[in-house]
Amino acid sequence: MSFDSLVDPLNAVGDQFGIMRGQMEQLNEVNDSLIRFNDAFGAFLFGMQATAASHEWPDAPRKSSFKLFDRPAVKTASAPNPATSTPRAGRHGDSSAPQKKPSSARRFLVKINPRVIIDHLPLKYREQTEAMRNMEKVIKRLGTDPDGVTLPNLAKEIGLPKHRVTDCLNTLVHRKVVVKQSQSNQPALYRLEPTRFPSR
C-alpha cells in the first residue's frame, strides 16, 4: 500500500477535526454566555433578597382594613329625661337594671397571618417540621392580644415547653417581629411589633 492512497482519508479526517474544532469553539462561547448570565442573575437574586430583608410586608392592607377608618363615629345615647321618663323597679326595687359596659379590649387593625411571618424566618421554621408548628402556635397566640403576654402564660396556654417557646420568641425578637418589654418584679411581656402590627 502506498502513501498516496492515504492522502484522501487523511484529508477527510483533517476536515472532520476542523469541523469538531469549530463546534468546540461554539460550545466555549455558550459556556462563556452561561457564566455571564449566572453572574448577572446571581446579582439579581441578591438584590431581591436584600430588598425582602429590608422591606417586609407581613400582611398587605385589605379592603376590610380601610373600612375600619371609614366607619362613622358611634353616637352616644342621650340620657333619659327624669321629668318624662318613668323608672321601672327591678326585682329588688332598683330604679334601673344594670347595663353592660362596652369592651375596652384593643384589637389589631389587620389580620395576623402566621404563614406570611414564617416565610421570612430561618429555614428550619419554613419547613413542615415541629419547629414550624410551634412557631405558628406562638404567632397565633400573640396575634390575639396586642398588649402582649408573658413567657410562662404563653407556654401554658399553647401547651409547649418553655424552652421551645423561648426559642421561637428569641427568633421573632431578632427578626424584629416581636418586642420584649421588661417589667419590674414581673416576667417580661412579649408582643407583636406595634409599628408593623398596629392596634387600637
Side-chain angles (χ1 to χ4, degrees):
M1 178 183 294
S2 63
F3 287 103
D4 293 338
S5 61
L6 299 176
V7 173
D8 292 339
L10 290 175
N11 287 335
V13 172
D15 293 340
Q16 294 299 323
F17 272 107
I19 294 174
M20 186 174 64
R21 179 181 178 181
Q23 293 175 345
M24 292 298 296
E25 290 178 351
Q26 292 178 357
L27 287 176
N28 285 332
E29 292 179 358
V30 172
N31 182 59
D32 294 339
S33 299
L34 287 176
I35 292 175
R36 291 192 297 269
F37 172 78
N38 287 335
D39 292 340
F41 192 66
F44 171 72
L45 291 179
F46 177 78
M48 290 186 63
Q49 186 176 6
T51 302
S54 57
H55 300 282
E56 296 182 1
W57 289 86
D59 196 351
R62 303 178 181 179
K63 290 183 178 180
S64 58
S65 304
F66 296 101
K67 288 181 180 179
L68 292 174
F69 296 95
D70 296 336
R71 290 179 181 176
V74 180
K75 295 183 178 180
T76 305
S78 58
N81 190 346
T84 58
S85 62
T86 303
R88 293 181 298 174
R91 181 178 298 178
H92 301 288
D94 297 336
S95 60
S96 60
Q99 298 180 354
K100 294 183 179 180
K101 296 182 179 180
S103 176
S104 59
R106 296 168 56 221
R107 298 193 178 191
F108 288 103
L109 298 182
V110 295
K111 182 180 179 181
I112 307 301
N113 189 342
R115 289 301 310 165
V116 175
I117 299 176
I118 292 175
D119 288 341
H120 294 83
L121 298 180
L123 181 61
K124 77 171 186 177
Y125 297 107
R126 300 198 303 269
E127 296 177 339
Q128 296 293 332
T129 60
E130 181 183 359
M132 187 213 71
R133 292 188 289 271
N134 293 342
M135 180 63 74
E136 191 171 7
K137 289 180 180 179
V138 171
I139 296 175
K140 281 184 177 180
R141 175 58 184 89
L142 293 174
T144 62
D145 191 355
D147 294 327
V149 61
T150 61
L151 171 61
N153 290 340
L154 178 58
K156 181 179 179 181
E157 291 176 13
I158 63 179
L160 290 177
K162 288 185 179 180
H163 68 278
R164 301 288 186 191
V165 179
T166 301
D167 182 57
C168 294
L169 291 174
N170 289 339
T171 301
L172 293 173
V173 171
H174 178 70
R175 293 284 175 157
K176 298 186 180 353
V177 177
V178 168
V179 294
K180 180 180 179 181
Q181 181 179 352
S182 300
Q183 302 185 109
S184 59
N185 301 326
Q186 291 184 2
L189 276 176
Y190 292 88
R191 59 175 179 160
L192 294 177
E193 213 285 327
T195 59
R196 293 177 56 182
F197 305 97
S199 61
R200 67 174 182 181

